[in-house]
């Protein structure tokens, strides 16, 4: 059984609130879960303390048991200093092709 720490959506339409839960990876996103660890309210400003609340003792216990955090939860844990998040591959696909080509040529020359 692979266990994940992920977000489960709650709240009303257009007003999301997420519960941070531990669940079997086969369970639906908003369905059955093993334990609730906290909540995340994305509508609050980033500097507000009530935006994210986690029970760090429970999180550490579940990570020690082998629970894998989702990408978003891994960001929360990295910000809290609980678990380091590895750097992700971020190619420059959003840059227009002409600019990418010019940057590649400049890098090849220099």
């Amino acid at each position: 059984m692979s266990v994940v720490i992920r977000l489960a959506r709650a709240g009303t339409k257009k007003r999301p609130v997420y519960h941070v839960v531990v669940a079997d990876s086969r369970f639906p996103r908003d369905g059955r879960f093993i334990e609730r660890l906290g909540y995340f309210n994305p509508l609050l400003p980033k500097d507000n303390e009530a935006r994210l609340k986690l029970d760090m003792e429970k999180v550490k216990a579940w990570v020690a048991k082998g629970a894998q955090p989702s990408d978003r939860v891994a960001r929360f844990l990295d910000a809290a200093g609980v678990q380091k998040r590895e750097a992700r591959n971020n190619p420059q696909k959003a840059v227009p092709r002409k600019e990418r080509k010019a940057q590649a040529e400049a890098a090849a020359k220099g």
Side-chain angles (χ1 to χ4, degrees), residues 34-87:
I34 300 168
E35 186 174 12
R36 185 175 294 157
L37 304 177
Y39 65 84
F40 170 61
N41 187 350
L43 299 177
L44 294 176
K46 291 188 178 181
D47 59 347
N48 193 334
E49 295 170 3
R51 180 178 166 98
L52 174 68
K53 182 176 185 294
L54 285 174
D55 186 347
M56 287 300 169
E57 305 304 320
K58 290 181 181 179
V59 170
K60 289 177 185 176
W62 278 106
V63 169
K65 292 177 189 175
Q68 294 295 315
S70 66
D71 289 340
R72 178 59 57 178
V73 174
R75 283 177 183 250
F76 297 153
L77 298 181
D78 187 33
V82 174
Q83 186 179 25
K84 194 69 178 160
R85 184 171 66 106
E86 68 276 352

